[in-house]
Amino acid sequence: MIAGAIAKLILPGKQGGGWFVTLILGVVGALLGGWLGSVLFNAKLEEFFSIQTWLLAIGGSLIVLLIYGLITGRNKRTT
């Protein structure tokens, strides 16, 4: 959830969705970042307060926000 909020602050422009969408995208992004980190970099994600864990969660949230923006941006243009 916090990673999603940080990613939303980092990503320029206006993304749709309110706090609930940010919460969901943050959780999904953190899971994606953790999975990608463990698969690609063999990262150990054992501690909550590790900088590595937070960077992967924020990075995953940025990816999810970008994908969400592409999906919702296309829908707005076609309607």
Side-chain angles (χ1 to χ4, degrees):
M1 169 171 76
I2 297 170
I6 293 171
K8 202 165 191 176
L9 288 173
I10 292 172
L11 197 62
K14 183 179 179 186
Q15 298 86 26
W19 65 271
F20 187 72
V21 172
T22 302
L23 172 98
I24 298 299
L25 294 177
V27 171
V28 171
L31 292 172
L32 175 68
W35 179 76
L36 285 175
S38 65
V39 169
L40 297 177
F41 306 115
N42 198 23
K44 306 257 189 254
L45 303 174
E46 299 172 355
E47 294 187 28
F48 179 78
F49 292 107
S50 166
I51 188 72
Q52 178 180 352
T53 302
W54 279 95
L55 290 176
L56 287 171
I58 293 168
S61 295
L62 283 169
I63 292 169
V64 171
L65 274 175
L66 287 171
I67 293 170
Y68 177 75
L70 289 173
I71 292 170
T72 59
R74 282 190 198 142
N75 289 341
K76 288 180 183 176
R77 286 185 216 139
T78 58
T79 56

